[in-house]
Amino acid sequence: MYSYLGLFLCILLVCCSVTPFSIIGSRRSILREVSNNEKSDHPDYAVELNATNFVDVLKDTPATFAVVEFFAHWCPACRNYKPHYEKVARLFNGPDAVHPGIILMTRVDCASKINNKLCDKFSVGHYPMLFWGHPPKFVGGSWEPKQEKSDISVIDDARTADRLLNWINKQLGSSFGLDDQKFGNEHLSSNISDFGQIVKAIYDVEEATSTAFDIILGHKMIKPESRVSLIKFLQLLVAHHPSMRCRKGSAKLLMSFDDLYPTDFWSTNEQEIDEVSLSNLQICGKDVPRGQWIFCRGSKNDTRGFSCGLWVLLHSLSVRIEDGESQFAFNATCDFVYNFFICEECRQHFYKMCSSVSSTFHKAQDYALWLWSTHNQVNDRLSKEEASLGTGDPEFPKTIWPPKQLCPSCYLGYDYRNKKIEWNQDEVYKFLTNYYGKTLASLYRDKNIVGNDRTDGGAEDLIVEATNAVVVPLGAALAIAIASCAFGALACYWRSQQKSRKYFRHPHSSKSI
């Protein structure tokens, strides 16, 4: 009897020890603070990996490089080395990282049985053992001691935090220091001719989307008069957001909108919302926002960030729509900014530019060029204000976009009499489509996560459940209808009809505000 009881307790202990790994295995645990099991004054910065999340985390990280430390928790040398490793990890990991988006610092405990095959795959022969490489190279990769050529390197001089950081600096040609503080980042790229920088903006687009909806819900900005404008903007996100997980979250929020905010919600005295349901509707996933910016990171704490990310989002939407959706996208964007952008002066300026448009947009190119021109007008106005007040970012001054370095063919000449640049607008549109469309989404394609280029199918990879309550124009509507059939034709048809009757028989645009 006691032997059976002992066996039962052993099984229970194993189950309890395995379960946390499935929880930790969240795909985007990259930028979370991992709790320290030992007594410490600060949390761990290095991300704990195991066999269940190793591939997903390294595949999904925005970092250019990764360091993987293989250790054993029972090893005294490993325990003594951990504070050194953490000193370096705090520079690159977590929402308070000094130099985010460059290196992902991770750890794998080889003393855990779940990691036996993973540690064998990298021929771990001593503890601690550190490897360096591009994150995708670790996915499906391996390492052998006698291997002549490998995309993964062993860090052979990392006994202390100083030595490890010196080794990293030699690899990157950087001069990071253990005492670096946030926003003291000489590695920050302000090189406007570096076309590849926009690739990492996909993470900032997700950050801006999530932050915008956190503000809307946190400040309870959804009112009877703004309800329809939010629904239309959500429809735009579902069909054309460059991030698949944001399309998925937007669709879930859109499908739940009637339950969260019924039409008679504001006529009741209580006006209580289901906080539990609302908290489960993170628009870009449960791990976004991450608390940091990469492409949109300023050289000072109070510059760039959210406003930059929001502009990139709007431009990315403008180059993904089709001709028949241009006026819808214009109205949805103008209404969204007017009703939900919390900076009063900014939204009034933007609304004024929206109101100055007297004709209807018939082509996607026309809307994309209008948004581009509007952004340049905003930059011109803000650059003068920032110059007089000294509030601008010295590393990222407001400028006319795109600069000649990025698109020489966009420039025809300069009108000295009117002090205006003469643009080749066809070339500008080609640039915008490539920059905010193909190049922006290339990081996903490179990592085989999802193709987001409109020419590769755009809205066709929408998740099935994301399309049930969506009604959008033309091409996007067709893609959504096809996907919806797979989910359930009758239920889908009923809900889409309900939405259509409620929202689209009452046109709403910035003109009627």
Side-chain angles (χ1 to χ4, degrees), residues 472-486:
V472 292
L474 298 179
L478 178 60
I480 289 171
I482 294 172
S484 298
C485 290

Side-chain angles (χ1 to χ4, degrees), residues 461-474:
D461 58 356
L462 288 171
I463 59 161
V464 174
E465 69 265 30
T467 60
N468 296 333
V470 183
V471 181
V472 292
L474 298 179

Side-chain angles (χ1 to χ4, degrees), residues 253-512:
L253 177 55
L254 186 60
M255 290 171 60
S256 304
F257 205 87
D258 272 350
D259 297 327
L260 292 170
Y261 297 97
T263 53
D264 60 349
F265 176 78
W266 295 270
S267 62
T268 62
N269 293 326
E270 296 181 358
Q271 294 186 9
E272 292 184 359
I273 192 168
D274 186 347
E275 297 293 343
V276 175
S277 298
L278 194 62
S279 64
N280 291 330
L281 287 172
Q282 293 94 340
I283 197 163
C284 290
K286 62 182 179 180
D287 299 309
V288 182
R290 306 172 183 90
Q292 70 172 27
W293 304 95
I294 298 177
F295 172 80
C296 286
R297 183 169 184 255
S299 62
K300 298 192 296 184
N301 194 9
D302 56 351
T303 59
R304 303 189 85 210
F306 176 58
S307 59
C308 167
L310 194 58
W311 272 116
V312 177
L313 169 63
L314 296 182
H315 285 300
S316 69
L317 294 172
S318 74
V319 299
R320 285 174 168 78
I321 62 170
E322 298 177 357
D323 287 344
E325 301 170 291
S326 54
Q327 186 63 33
F328 175 87
F330 168 75
N331 290 338
T333 301
C334 288
D335 289 352
F336 179 79
V337 173
Y338 181 84
N339 286 298
F340 300 108
F341 195 63
I342 207 164
C343 172
E344 179 64 20
E345 182 179 356
C346 301
R347 77 183 190 94
Q348 290 292 350
H349 277 290
F350 194 85
Y351 173 65
K352 185 177 180 180
M353 289 185 285
C354 288
S355 300
S356 67
V357 177
S358 56
S359 58
T360 301
F361 291 104
H362 296 290
K363 293 184 177 181
Q365 177 173 341
D366 295 337
Y367 170 61
L369 289 174
W370 173 84
L371 187 66
W372 157 75
S373 176
T374 297
H375 195 175
N376 273 337
Q377 291 178 51
V378 171
N379 278 353
D380 183 55
R381 175 176 60 84
L382 291 179
S383 66
K384 295 174 182 176
E385 293 181 7
E386 290 177 353
S388 62
L389 298 172
T391 56
D393 190 324
E395 295 293 328
F396 299 92
K398 296 289 189 299
T399 185
I400 299 300
W401 188 260
K404 255 188 178 178
Q405 296 95 315
L406 283 182
C407 186
S409 61
C410 293
Y411 289 73
L412 291 175
Y414 187 79
D415 184 350
Y416 288 95
R417 176 178 295 180
N418 297 313
K419 297 181 179 181
K420 290 183 177 180
I421 297 172
E422 295 177 343
W423 298 95
N424 183 332
Q425 295 200 353
D426 288 336
E427 290 298 313
V428 171
Y429 182 63
K430 288 180 183 177
F431 169 82
L432 296 173
T433 302
N434 190 29
Y435 193 77
Y436 292 107
K438 298 177 182 178
T439 309
L440 176 65
S442 66
L443 186 63
Y444 277 173
R445 293 200 302 274
D446 291 345
K447 293 187 176 184
N448 297 317
I449 296 176
V450 60
N452 288 279
D453 185 2
R454 283 289 299 159
T455 60
D456 293 337
E460 292 181 3
D461 58 356
L462 288 171
I463 59 161
V464 174
E465 69 265 30
T467 60
N468 296 333
V470 183
V471 181
V472 292
L474 298 179
L478 178 60
I480 289 171
I482 294 172
S484 298
C485 290
F487 182 73
L490 293 177
C492 173
Y493 178 79
W494 181 84
R495 288 190 64 85
S496 63
Q497 290 299 307
Q498 294 301 310
K499 297 291 183 185
S500 179
R501 283 197 290 271
K502 288 180 181 178
Y503 310 133
F504 283 85
R505 291 187 180 180
H506 304 284
H508 181 78
S509 71
S510 57
K511 301 296 183 182
S512 61

Side-chain angles (χ1 to χ4, degrees), residues 33-333:
E33 294 179 346
V34 181
S35 298
N36 189 3
N37 293 326
E38 300 173 355
K39 293 182 179 179
S40 176
D41 294 333
H42 63 79
D44 287 350
Y45 296 99
V47 178
E48 297 281 352
L49 299 182
N50 56 67
T52 64
N53 66 359
F54 186 83
V55 170
D56 284 339
V57 170
L58 287 166
K59 183 174 66 175
D60 199 39
T61 176
T64 307
F65 298 95
V67 175
V68 180
E69 178 202 4
F70 290 96
F71 73 102
H73 64 262
W74 51 257
C75 168
C78 297
R79 290 198 296 268
N80 293 335
Y81 181 66
K82 183 178 179 181
H84 291 278
Y85 193 71
E86 288 294 325
K87 283 182 181 179
V88 179
R90 73 120 192 144
L91 298 174
F92 305 105
N93 284 14
D96 296 322
V98 183
H99 310 291
I102 301 173
I103 305 170
L104 176 67
M105 306 285 292
T106 68
R107 307 176 80 232
V108 176
D109 185 1
C110 292
S112 175
K113 290 185 178 180
I114 194 174
N115 297 323
N116 283 352
K117 291 184 179 179
L118 180 60
C119 295
D120 290 343
K121 192 176 181 181
F122 288 89
S123 304
V124 178
H126 61 269
Y127 304 127
M129 193 172 184
L130 277 65
F131 292 89
W132 165 274
H134 295 291
K137 300 302 180 182
F138 286 96
V139 177
S142 61
W143 182 84
E144 295 290 342
K146 297 180 181 180
Q147 203 170 353
E148 292 184 4
K149 293 183 179 180
S150 176
D151 295 318
I152 299 172
S153 305
V154 175
I155 303 178
D156 52 10
D157 187 14
R159 184 173 298 179
T160 65
D162 284 315
R163 287 190 179 186
L164 174 56
L165 192 56
N166 287 339
W167 193 95
I168 291 172
N169 282 331
K170 288 179 182 179
Q171 300 300 310
L172 299 180
S174 55
S175 56
F176 299 133
L178 293 175
D179 296 327
D180 288 355
Q181 299 300 316
K182 198 171 184 181
F183 299 103
N185 185 5
E186 81 289 346
H187 194 78
L188 190 68
S189 175
S190 59
N191 183 4
I192 58 175
S193 63
D194 186 357
F195 200 85
Q197 287 297 312
I198 190 65
V199 172
K200 291 187 178 181
I202 191 72
Y203 297 96
D204 290 350
V205 171
E206 293 175 339
E207 190 82 2
T209 305
S210 183
T211 300
F213 278 85
D214 282 350
I215 292 172
I216 292 170
L217 300 176
H219 288 76
K220 299 181 179 179
M221 299 175 70
I222 303 175
K223 306 295 181 184
E225 62 274 13
S226 63
R227 185 177 185 272
V228 173
S229 64
L230 184 59
I231 290 171
K232 289 188 176 183
F233 193 72
L234 281 169
Q235 292 169 346
L236 191 62
L237 296 185
V238 170
H240 299 299
H241 199 291
S243 165
M244 187 175 187
R245 55 175 165 248
C246 292
R247 294 200 298 274
K248 177 179 179 180
S250 300
K252 287 182 177 179
L253 177 55
L254 186 60
M255 290 171 60
S256 304
F257 205 87
D258 272 350
D259 297 327
L260 292 170
Y261 297 97
T263 53
D264 60 349
F265 176 78
W266 295 270
S267 62
T268 62
N269 293 326
E270 296 181 358
Q271 294 186 9
E272 292 184 359
I273 192 168
D274 186 347
E275 297 293 343
V276 175
S277 298
L278 194 62
S279 64
N280 291 330
L281 287 172
Q282 293 94 340
I283 197 163
C284 290
K286 62 182 179 180
D287 299 309
V288 182
R290 306 172 183 90
Q292 70 172 27
W293 304 95
I294 298 177
F295 172 80
C296 286
R297 183 169 184 255
S299 62
K300 298 192 296 184
N301 194 9
D302 56 351
T303 59
R304 303 189 85 210
F306 176 58
S307 59
C308 167
L310 194 58
W311 272 116
V312 177
L313 169 63
L314 296 182
H315 285 300
S316 69
L317 294 172
S318 74
V319 299
R320 285 174 168 78
I321 62 170
E322 298 177 357
D323 287 344
E325 301 170 291
S326 54
Q327 186 63 33
F328 175 87
F330 168 75
N331 290 338
T333 301

